[in-house]
Amino acid sequence: MSLAHNAHLPIGVFDSGVGGLTVLNAIRQRLPNENLIYLGDTARVPYGTKSALSVTRYAEQAAKALMERKIKMLVIACNTASAVAIEPLQYLYPDIPVIGVIGPGADASCDATQSQHIGVIATEGTVNNQAYQNAILERLPSASVVAHPCSLFVALAEEGWHKGDLVKQIAEACLEPFRHADHAMIDTLVLGCTHFPALKEVIGEVMGDAVSLVDSAEVTAQEVANRLQIDDLSNTRMVKGDVQFLVTDGPTRFARVAQHFFSDPIPGSEIQLVDIQHFAH
């Protein structure tokens, strides 16, 4: 059944904080005429240190808050939430596409690798729950996947430290495990945290031209575009879409940090403070 009559509705995107803005930005760049709503659950960031049960509950509350605003697609712009909550959300909302960041990243890494030796960098929580490792091996069972946490990159990204000698030295230290002899074969590296695309340039410089970087934000935006087309949900109007920003805490800090992840300035006055904890699944 065609859902084209819903094409004007916005795409809902949620994350635990600001990192998901890299996904929102990539969607905005690829699909400028789409209306977007972004929800950052900044009151409970980070999700990576929480239990799977808690993260699933938070994700369901964020999804419900976005659904109440009439969205045509739900994008989970958070690796932790994508790992534990995508199936529950797909079950709860079968009438709209629900897309996470892990599946597209895993697909792209399998397409990119020539040697079938793939590296993953992410937060400690994402590495430990092995979401990327499992997703890649499901698609390419013969792959060798090595994952290491680079949590320090989150702080660098949020503070706008994206280049320079000090940042390069930190990146070299964080990426050192991939440069050991037993890992030297990797030809593909997945940026498995939504903060990391902000550091893509320095990561690429450290890893060298022989290693392809998979930007989970870019490949998720591509997946969004594909699903809109398949489901006949693309907004064909030729004017720039609206973007709304919702946060659960700290709109002023969100506006300050957002400039490091989103191409357009976000005035603090345009960020709406919302309470989503009263939403039950």
Side-chain angles (χ1 to χ4, degrees):
M1 182 180 70
S2 172
L3 298 175
H5 59 283
N6 290 332
H8 67 285
L9 296 177
I11 298 166
V13 181
F14 80 86
D15 179 39
S16 59
V18 296
L21 287 172
T22 60
V23 178
L24 186 80
N25 197 58
I27 295 171
R28 183 68 162 170
Q29 299 295 323
R30 185 173 288 273
L31 302 164
N33 55 330
E34 293 290 346
N35 297 312
L36 304 169
I37 304 178
Y38 182 87
L39 170 58
D41 190 10
T42 43
R44 298 184 290 199
V45 67
Y47 282 2
T49 58
K50 311 296 194 301
S51 70
L53 190 64
S54 291
V55 172
T56 300
R57 184 172 74 252
Y58 300 165
E60 289 176 354
Q61 290 171 340
K64 182 74 182 301
L66 289 170
M67 288 296 294
E68 289 217 339
R69 287 166 169 78
K70 301 288 191 296
I71 59 174
K72 65 181 180 182
M73 173 184 283
L74 179 66
V75 179
I76 310 170
C78 170
N79 287 274
T80 303
S82 293
V84 302
I86 188 164
E87 290 184 5
L89 291 179
Q90 288 172 334
Y91 175 79
L92 285 172
Y93 302 110
D95 295 330
I96 65 168
V98 178
I99 294 173
V101 290
I102 291 175
D107 286 338
S109 68
C110 293
D111 290 340
T113 187
Q114 298 294 316
S115 68
Q116 300 191 10
H117 291 264
I118 299 170
V120 178
I121 54 173
T123 61
E124 192 166 359
T126 301
V127 169
N128 289 344
N129 69 28
Q130 300 195 6
Y132 271 103
Q133 298 94 306
N134 292 336
I136 290 168
L137 291 171
E138 282 176 12
R139 291 158 171 79
L140 190 63
S142 58
S144 170
V145 186
V146 179
H148 285 285
C150 293
S151 299
L152 197 54
F153 285 173
V154 173
L156 292 176
E158 291 204 357
E159 293 306 318
W161 289 28
H162 300 163
K163 57 183 65 178
D165 291 341
L166 178 59
V167 174
K168 186 176 180 183
Q169 289 172 19
I170 294 170
E172 286 173 341
C174 291
L175 297 167
E176 181 63 27
F178 294 103
R179 291 147 42 142
H180 288 165
D182 55 339
H183 296 166
M185 291 290 290
I186 76 159
D187 68 353
T188 303
L189 182 65
V190 181
L191 308 185
C193 171
T194 51
H195 284 75
F196 293 179
L199 297 166
K200 187 176 180 179
E201 185 177 330
V202 71
I203 293 169
E205 191 178 341
V206 170
M207 294 306 297
D209 293 339
V211 177
S212 299
L213 301 185
V214 173
D215 181 337
S216 56
E218 287 184 1
V219 296
T220 301
Q222 178 60 57
E223 177 68 11
V224 167
N226 293 344
R227 286 297 301 275
L228 289 176
Q229 192 168 21
I230 290 168
D231 293 349
D232 198 18
L233 285 170
S234 298
N235 193 341
T236 55
R237 65 176 194 162
M238 301 307 293
V239 296
K240 196 168 186 178
D242 297 324
V243 186
Q244 299 176 53
F245 296 93
L246 315 174
V247 297
T248 55
D249 193 27
T252 302
R253 183 183 188 280
F254 180 89
R256 177 179 67 80
V257 177
Q259 64 183 318
H260 305 310
F261 300 92
F262 197 69
S263 297
D264 299 329
I266 306 173
S269 59
E270 292 185 9
I271 300 170
Q272 183 182 348
L273 189 63
V274 296
D275 177 14
I276 66 171
Q277 296 189 39
H278 65 281
F279 285 119
H281 63 75

